[in-house]
Amino acid sequence: MALTLSDLIEQARLAARSAVEYGGGLINPTVRLGITGLSRAGKTVFITALVHGLVRNGRFPVFEALSEGRIAGARLAPQPDDAVPRFDYESHVRALVADRAWPESTRQISELRLVIAYQSRSGAMRELVLDMVDYPGEWLLDLPLLGKTFEAWSAETLEMSGRGPRARLATPWRAHLATLDAAGPADESAAIDAARLFTEYLAACRNERYAMSLLPPGRFLMPGDLAGSPALTFAPLDVARDGTPPSGSLWAMMRRRYEAYKDVVVRPFFRDHFARLDRQIVLIDALSAFNAGPEAVSDLQDAFRSLLDCFEIGRRTFLSSLLRPRADRILFAATKADHLHHTNHDRLEAILRCMVERAIARADVAGAAVDVIALSAVRATREAEVRRGGATLPCILGVPAAGEHSGSGNRKDSKIFDGKTEVAVFPGDLPDDPDTLFAPGAVPFRGLTAASDEETDFRFVRFRPPPLETTGDEVPALPHIRLDRALQFLIGDRLK
Ligand SMILES: Nc1nc2c(ncn2[C@@H]2O[C@H](COP(=O)(O)OP(=O)(O)O)[C@@H](O)[C@H]2O)c(=O)[nH]1
Ligand SMILES: [Mg+2]
């Protein structure tokens, strides 16, 4: 790909900054850790639990520096980027620990700096600066747009909207699209209507019953501070892939805005955030996809391919080696594993591995180590064997959040939970062999997309965060599943 002027300017800016960051890094070794995932994947809970555990000396046996007793302490420090909101750690901890409520959802990028004081294996006291950057996965999934024309993106989006459960959800938008004359004069109100209907279609796909993952452009669902701006007021048109719009046409206007979206949204995000990350964890709410059904799982699989492509796209778009995305470790983590009995944790990990490997086979992530994990940043459940009719079922125990209900709300025996009572749930067993999910002609399981609540094969209830046993004024760290293993993979090598 030939370098354009804007690429060159971008590279010059990045080079200037890299030199500054490199200089700073000599004094205090710094790791910039990106935490991403689609909305509600568990980013806020993950960062809160991670910091809480490090600050409070949590139980992290697999995290070597800590289990070897080499961590002297961890403290929060002012973050380096003045223009990025601070991750509101204190409020999130208060919600989790004092109120036993999940933190409120955020829809923005945020940052938090943690300084870890440790003793190196050679005995010297050192500090590692860990900058955590929490950003919406929706924004990351925009990077592939950099290499796509408006016409190609339109064609792909239209094609995808005709498949599976998307077809029905896309009907109102597609009906409006059919009334548009792309070559006709530009019409602002038509553009507004099209953008609104298109956004509604994306939001419907994201709904928990469908739980689709691959829905660019990301700002349509996560607008940040751009809601309502012209750069977000466009939608795909039914036009030829290699066509050229007549000047003054609706097509020309949509194309211009699509290009503006790339310039004012996608490129700056790439330059200011993504390209600067040293390590990346991608959180995935795989269980919600299972809850929704096979189409959502296959959509998630496509999203993996796109995600991995993002690392490759950086390499193609910015040619100089200094300026490539530099993340050298990428961890894909299925979150909320506490919704499953531990007998299923390895199965969840195996399914994730299978999906990621299929994606890796097609994407080039040269230079980065990739791993997968099933974890729970905050473990909200306990385990129990429940006898039913001669069989024992591996169940989980937890307190469902107030307002959650068992089964569909309109059934007579359906219960609304009060947020205080502990219940046992049999969540269902994930398949032992992940291939049975992906093999051609695989028997589909039943999810919310196609079945009612009672008929689904998996059942995931929203539990409250766990009670903590406080001893004196010491607040213990939150219980978790495999959070320490994630930590070891992400920063363990930097604490030697
Ligand atoms: N049981 C359980 N639920 C979780 C966990 N992490 C996240 N959740 C649930 O997922 C929701 C979204 O998490 P959050 O961290 O806000 O997601 P974000 O949008 O990616 O920041 C929370 O409100 C919880 O209900 C976990 O480790 N265990
Ligand atoms: Mg969040």
Side-chain angles (χ1 to χ4, degrees), residues 43-44 106 134:
K43 302 179 288 296
T44 305
T106 43
D134 168 352

Side-chain angles (χ1 to χ4, degrees), residues 265-316:
V265 174
V266 187
R267 277 173 185 282
F269 168 72
F270 180 90
R271 177 188 70 217
D272 297 339
H273 303 296
F274 186 67
R276 295 167 65 198
L277 300 172
D278 302 305
R279 303 275 155 99
Q280 175 68 61
I281 179 166
V282 182
L283 302 176
I284 296 130
D285 189 354
L287 297 180
S288 283
F290 275 104
N291 215 13
E295 297 90 353
V297 171
S298 117
D299 198 73
L300 183 60
Q301 164 81 44
D302 292 340
F304 279 123
R305 201 164 301 143
S306 256
L307 282 166
L308 284 163
D309 266 348
C310 292
F311 292 89
E312 159 67 5
I313 281 161
R315 290 194 171 80
R316 264 191 272 124

Side-chain angles (χ1 to χ4, degrees), residues 94-281:
R94 205 174 316 123
L96 275 174
V97 176
D99 308 340
R100 284 186 64 197
W102 298 104
E104 263 183 55
S105 76
T106 43
R107 305 169 71 84
Q108 263 291 2
I109 189 162
S110 66
E111 183 174 287
L112 189 68
R113 169 169 281 193
L114 186 73
V115 178
I116 304 171
Y118 70 101
Q119 187 175 38
S120 74
R121 289 234 162 94
S122 65
M125 282 312 295
R126 300 237 166 93
E127 284 193 336
L128 179 74
V129 179
L130 181 63
D131 284 331
M132 286 164 281
V133 184
D134 168 352
Y135 66 92
E138 287 83 354
W139 299 4
L140 181 54
L141 283 170
D142 271 351
L143 290 187
L145 300 182
L146 286 180
K148 255 176 229 164
T149 62
F150 171 72
E151 290 72 25
W153 169 70
S154 287
E156 272 173 35
T157 307
L158 276 170
E159 196 264 322
M160 199 151 75
S161 74
R163 273 191 262 144
R166 286 179 184 245
R168 195 165 49 73
L169 303 173
T171 311
W173 162 56
R174 297 282 302 247
H176 179 260
L177 176 63
T179 68
L180 296 179
D181 175 13
D187 172 356
E188 182 64 46
S189 73
I192 292 174
D193 286 343
R196 180 177 50 80
L197 290 164
F198 178 58
T199 308
E200 282 168 12
Y201 150 68
L202 296 179
C205 292
R206 195 59 202 135
N207 171 298
E208 69 174 2
R209 194 163 276 278
Y210 302 98
M212 297 283 167
S213 304
L214 198 54
L215 302 161
R219 301 283 167 135
F220 281 52
L221 293 178
M222 281 282 147
D225 49 7
L226 287 173
S229 64
L232 298 195
T233 313
F234 66 91
L237 289 175
D238 197 356
V239 290
R241 245 177 202 271
D242 49 1
T244 320
S247 75
S249 63
L250 180 65
W251 180 359
M253 179 169 84
M254 293 289 205
R255 177 200 247 196
R256 191 174 63 245
R257 290 181 176 180
Y258 172 82
E259 291 302 329
Y261 181 84
K262 293 202 284 187
D263 285 342
V264 303
V265 174
V266 187
R267 277 173 185 282
F269 168 72
F270 180 90
R271 177 188 70 217
D272 297 339
H273 303 296
F274 186 67
R276 295 167 65 198
L277 300 172
D278 302 305
R279 303 275 155 99
Q280 175 68 61
I281 179 166

Side-chain angles (χ1 to χ4, degrees), residues 77-99:
Q79 70 195 46
D81 300 281
D82 295 329
V84 178
R86 179 178 181 274
F87 181 86
D88 192 0
Y89 171 71
E90 292 75 12
S91 305
H92 299 326
V93 169
R94 205 174 316 123
L96 275 174
V97 176
D99 308 340

